[in-house]
């Protein structure tokens, strides 16, 4: 049966890779809704090609512009805007599959709506699980939704876990691989002055700017450890991080008998996306076959927590539990944004996150409102902290330009 998709964040890196796979299999997939934030022009191009019933954008002005362009081109796609419209296309009876590929906290409400509507959810938006893992997983269970990981490491682990087992019997550990990002072997002292463009130049993957900065600080791996905790139900102590600069092994599962299963492939998100789209089938993703003879060598090393304090902060938040991960995530979003707009330097990202995480009182996450309150409080605290340090930091940046 054809799957009918809502693609949240269709104009982003994951969104475009998803549409690339979808276009290869028109008999298997059709598009009910596409959503973007501000990039109306790209959304119009996507609508003309995939003819969704609904397109959602962030604000009224973009909606007007998109609607006018679509009308002119004779396209009947209906245009809506705002957070409630994202929720509506995610829970609509007209779709069965929701690809959650919005970046950051903005993806939480529509992702949760999809879970509560019992959809098949292909999750790229790791921030949703980091913020509210318990609530999200409860919603998936209570409404018989299906959650399939798109994040390459989690998709790899999903592929390496036994299918029909109770509570992952026999699994001793999961191992998340990490490339180490663009600054893996840079002198820590030289990192204070790196620019947003340098931080976004990932050696192996082309991604949106927020996750690219997260990869450079290794906060991305920290968020992924928290994501793995919720997806696979293992405590932090049984989730290891392993640096693997080639990004060929996407993650591994260790079993009690000494076996280690790994998933390998070229670093191209179309592989995990195609896997999750077609699961349990396998379909062509457009990704070239892996040529191990050509790659010749794979290497591994331990992560350096002193060089990457964000990784340590994420581990701390997971160990603390409660709302600490929501606080960590919000502070990080604000700090990364400030770095990308050159208000603070690269090393200040960890400083902001550390100050907010250690400065705010942690509580239990009982309901979504608690998560949203913690998110808002952390954003306020991060913004205040940045205002205090950014003057000094801006002077430093000006001196290095
Ligand atoms: P991106 O910046 O390229 O795209 C983000 C998408 O979200 C865009 O379509 C944008 O319009 C939309 N968006 C942004 N802010 C929004 C808001 N406030 N409201 C509604 N929509 C909004 O990001 P990406 O690299 O595609 O990443 C998307 C998600 O997938 C992130 O959570 C990221 O961590 C995760 N992820 C990405 C990759 C990758 O290779 N790019 C890999 C694994 C996981
Ligand atoms: Mg990943």
């Amino acid at each position: 049966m054809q799957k009918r998709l809502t693609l949240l964040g269709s104009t982003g890196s994951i969104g475009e890779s998803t549409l690339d796979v979808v276009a290869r299999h028109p008999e298997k997939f059709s598009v009910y809704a596409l959503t973007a934030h501000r990039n109306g022009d790209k959304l119009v191009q996507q609508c003309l090609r995939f003819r969704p019933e609904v397109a959602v954008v962030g604000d009224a002005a973009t909606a007007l512009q998109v609607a006018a362009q679509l009308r002119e081109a004779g396209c009947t796609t209906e245009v809506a805007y705002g957070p409630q419209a994202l929720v509506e296309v995610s829970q609509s009876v007209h779709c069965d599959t929701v690809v959650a590929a919005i970046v950051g906290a903005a993806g939480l409400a529509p992702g949760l709506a999809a879970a509560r509507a019992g959809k098949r959810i292909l999750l790229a938006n790791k921030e949703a699980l980091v913020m509210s893992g318990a609530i999200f997983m409860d919603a998936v269970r209570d409404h018989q939704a299906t959650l399939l990981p798109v994040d390459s490491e989690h998709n790899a682990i999903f592929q390496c876990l036994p299918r029909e087992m109770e509570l992952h019997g026999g699994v001793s550990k999961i191992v998340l691989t990490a490339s180490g990002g663009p600054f893996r072997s840079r002198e820590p002292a030289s990192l204070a002055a790196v620019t947003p463009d340098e931080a976004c130049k990932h050696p192996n993957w082309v991604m949106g700017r927020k996750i690219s900065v997260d990869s450079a600080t290794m906060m991305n791996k920290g968020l992924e450890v928290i994501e793995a905790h919720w997806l696979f139900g293992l405590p932090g102590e049984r989730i290891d991080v392993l640096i693997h600069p080639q990004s060929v092994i996407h993650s591994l599962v260790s079993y009690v008998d000494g076996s280690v299963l790994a998933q390998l492939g070229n670093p191209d998100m179309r592989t995990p996306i195609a896997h999750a789209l077609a699961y349990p089938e396998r379909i062509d993703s457009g990704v070239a076959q892996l040529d191990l003879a050509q790659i010749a060598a794979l290497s591994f090393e331990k992560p350096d927590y002193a060089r990457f304090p964000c990784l340590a902060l994420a581990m701390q938040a997971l160990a603390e539990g409660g709302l600490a991960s929501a606080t960590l995530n919000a502070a990080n979003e604000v700090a990364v944004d400030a770095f990308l707009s050159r208000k603070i330097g690269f090393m200040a990202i960890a400083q902001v996150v550390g100050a907010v995480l250690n400065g705010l009182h942690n509580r239990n996450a009982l309901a979504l409102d608690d998560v949203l309150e913690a998110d808002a409080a952390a954003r306020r605290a991060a913004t205040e902290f940045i205002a205090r340090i950014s003057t000094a930091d801006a002077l430093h940046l000006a001196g290095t330009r």
Side-chain angles (χ1 to χ4, degrees):
M1 216 179 73
Q2 206 189 37
K3 294 191 178 94
R4 192 129 172 91
L5 312 183
T6 282
L7 174 44
L8 301 168
S10 65
T11 54
S13 166
I14 293 289
E16 290 203 288
S17 294
T18 303
L19 287 177
D20 182 281
V21 177
V22 164
R24 291 166 196 274
H25 305 278
E27 74 297 349
K28 289 194 185 314
F29 309 107
S30 67
V31 179
Y32 163 66
L34 295 176
T35 86
H37 197 44
R38 302 207 195 286
N39 195 342
D41 290 341
K42 195 186 272 186
L43 186 66
V44 167
Q45 292 313 312
Q46 293 179 337
C47 287
L48 295 180
R49 177 142 187 226
F50 292 92
R51 301 280 162 169
E53 267 176 52
V54 188
V56 181
V57 292
D59 57 80
T62 312
L64 277 177
Q65 170 223 327
V66 166
Q69 282 176 259
L70 289 176
R71 211 176 317 116
E72 204 167 297
C75 179
T76 57
T77 299
E78 178 195 320
V79 183
Y81 68 90
Q84 187 51 32
L86 292 176
V87 165
E88 272 158 28
V89 294
S90 304
Q91 64 192 19
S92 166
V93 292
H94 301 295
C95 78
D96 46 70
T97 301
V98 174
V99 183
I102 288 174
V103 60
L108 175 59
L112 208 48
R116 289 176 175 155
K119 303 296 182 193
R120 180 182 167 99
I121 305 166
L122 278 54
L123 186 77
N125 177 225
K126 65 193 85 187
E127 294 91 345
L129 273 191
V130 171
M131 290 174 74
S132 68
I135 293 165
F136 202 100
M137 296 309 288
D138 281 353
V140 166
R141 195 198 50 227
D142 293 348
H143 300 274
Q144 286 96 45
T146 305
L147 190 56
L148 295 163
V150 165
D151 210 346
S152 57
E153 297 77 4
H154 307 74
N155 183 269
I157 290 162
F158 180 68
Q159 293 195 45
C160 296
L161 285 172
R163 261 322 54 107
E164 59 301 285
M165 64 174 185
E166 299 300 319
L167 300 171
H168 300 158
V171 171
S172 63
K173 270 192 171 182
I174 58 184
V175 183
L176 297 179
T177 53
S179 69
F183 305 140
R184 179 175 59 91
S185 42
R186 278 267 298 253
E187 264 310 302
S190 73
L191 289 181
V194 297
T195 64
D197 283 345
E198 283 177 277
C200 288
K201 217 174 278 155
H202 195 278
N204 306 334
W205 303 92
V206 181
M207 310 180 285
R209 283 173 84 77
K210 192 261 177 180
I211 185 177
S212 295
V213 174
D214 284 348
S215 299
T217 60
M218 284 197 74
M219 178 60 90
N220 182 51
K221 209 50 53 180
L223 300 178
E224 290 185 353
V225 170
I226 301 172
E227 180 186 14
H229 162 74
W230 291 113
L231 282 172
F232 305 117
L234 290 182
E237 304 79 67
R238 286 169 65 198
I239 306 172
D240 280 356
V241 172
L242 178 69
I243 305 287
H244 164 47
Q246 295 82 14
S247 299
V248 167
I249 297 182
H250 297 304
S251 278
L252 315 91
V253 176
S254 292
Y255 287 86
V256 288
D257 62 3
S259 300
V260 179
L261 300 191
Q263 186 260 354
L264 285 69
N266 286 318
D268 186 321
M269 288 306 293
R270 290 177 302 174
T271 295
I273 289 168
H275 175 267
L277 274 173
Y279 182 79
E281 273 183 63
R282 296 269 179 180
I283 56 170
D284 173 33
S285 64
V287 178
Q289 291 295 311
L290 186 63
D291 184 347
L292 280 175
Q294 217 235 319
I295 292 164
L298 299 178
S299 58
F300 307 94
E301 55 195 72
K302 283 197 167 157
D304 178 347
Y305 288 89
R307 189 188 292 255
F308 295 108
C310 283
L311 183 54
L313 287 168
M315 302 298 208
Q316 178 193 327
L318 177 58
E320 281 180 21
L323 291 162
S325 298
T327 300
L328 171 99
N329 179 69
N332 181 58
E333 286 191 25
V334 173
V336 170
D337 209 45
F339 168 68
L340 284 173
S341 50
R342 298 197 62 114
K343 290 194 193 104
I344 58 171
F346 182 75
M347 295 308 283
I349 297 173
Q351 239 182 303
V352 174
V353 177
V356 174
L357 183 64
N358 293 316
L360 291 184
H361 178 63
N362 190 14
R363 286 186 295 119
N364 274 336
L366 299 176
L368 187 61
D369 279 349
D370 299 323
V371 173
L372 299 179
E373 262 173 43
D375 177 89
R379 281 172 202 272
R380 277 194 304 274
T383 307
E384 280 163 22
F385 187 82
I386 286 167
R388 285 207 298 279
I389 60 169
S390 62
T391 322
D393 229 61
L395 291 174
H396 176 74
L397 281 177
T400 56
R401 249 185 218 125

